[in-house]
Amino acid sequence: KNQVEQSPQSLIILEGKNCTLQCNYTVSPFSNLRWYKQDTGRGPVSLTIMTFSENTKSNGRYTATLDADTKQSSLHITASQLSDSASYICVVRGNQGGKLIFGQGTELSVKP
Amino acid sequence: GAGVSQSPSNKVTEKGKDVELRCDPISGHTALYWYRQSLGQGLEFLIYFQGNSAPDKSGLPSDRFSAERTGGSVSTLTIQRTQQEDSAVYLCASSLGASGGKLQETQYFGPGTRLLVL
């Protein structure tokens, strides 16, 4: 069964600190992996999209990595800000069709 | 330009009633997706429209759920004989769409419709 699992489920960090969120997937064959940020009460917003041939992609203070061999991805947030408090969702698309498989998300809370 | 819009933003209904949720995608986007997000759960794919192709309905949880996309633009998700477990946030997303199945472009999400079935 195709699955996307994220860890930790929730995380609390102090403003200015770095953190790394993990995503493991079993989707195969694999087309691409995305990280989304979802603020409470809002729709998800795309942070990065990576194909299987890409290892790293950055978007400002967000850096995503991908190891297609071990089927693991991470999202690193540098110098966290209060506005980073949100749910971060890892999403994997298989090679066929338009169906995306979503992880349950990591709830990040940045405290002053 | 305008993003994806959804209406209503909130809907409270009685068990057994039918509801219609509307999604206006970004102009020019040929791909449209419906998702459901239940409390404490990840996003669940429901249905996908791409241009004039037959929609991918593989995520619809039961035959009480259906969706249409008229004229390749606005989409309506209909839930018949609603049940309490249908309570969730229903999200719509659109993307430019691409030929050859290379659906790697960004999906832009609407704000969602919060459905509560009493």
Side-chain angles (χ1 to χ4, degrees), chain B residues 67-90:
Chain B
E68 291 183 344
R69 190 177 185 194
T70 55
S73 180
V74 172
S75 177
T76 302
L77 177 69
T78 301
I79 309 173
Q80 296 178 311
R81 305 180 301 281
T82 53
Q83 303 294 314
Q84 289 181 333
E85 59 263 28
D86 298 336
S87 297
V89 176
Y90 289 82

Side-chain angles (χ1 to χ4, degrees), chain A residues 37-45 83-88 107, chain B residues 114:
Chain A
K37 177 186 177 186
Q38 185 176 22
D39 293 306
T40 301
R42 307 286 293 274
V45 174
S83 59
D84 292 333
S85 295
S87 180
Y88 290 83
E107 194 69 32
Chain B
R114 283 154 187 76

Side-chain angles (χ1 to χ4, degrees), chain A residues 6-82:
Chain A
Q6 293 186 241
S7 62
Q9 195 170 31
S10 63
L11 182 64
I12 300 175
I13 62 173
L14 293 176
E15 185 179 12
K17 297 295 186 182
N18 303 336
C19 67
T20 300
L21 314 180
Q22 299 292 339
C23 173
N24 296 342
Y25 62 94
T26 61
V27 179
S28 182
F30 159 78
S31 176
N32 59 66
L33 184 146
R34 311 152 186 249
W35 282 93
Y36 282 88
K37 177 186 177 186
Q38 185 176 22
D39 293 306
T40 301
R42 307 286 293 274
V45 174
S46 179
L47 296 176
T48 62
I49 300 177
M50 289 188 293
T51 65
F52 69 91
S53 61
E54 297 176 290
N55 300 122
T56 304
K57 184 162 281 190
S58 292
N59 178 0
R61 294 180 297 102
Y62 301 102
T63 299
T65 65
L66 174 64
D67 185 334
D69 292 330
T70 62
K71 295 186 170 56
Q72 295 180 328
S73 176
S74 65
L75 180 70
H76 187 74
I77 304 175
T78 304
S80 60
Q81 301 176 358
L82 298 178

Side-chain angles (χ1 to χ4, degrees), chain A residues 34 36 46 93 98 100, chain B residues 33 35 93-95 105-109:
Chain A
R34 311 152 186 249
Y36 282 88
S46 179
R93 181 194 294 280
L100 300 177
Chain B
Y33 307 75
Y35 299 93
S94 73
S95 64
E105 67 274 2
T106 298
Q107 292 188 14
Y108 296 85
F109 282 80

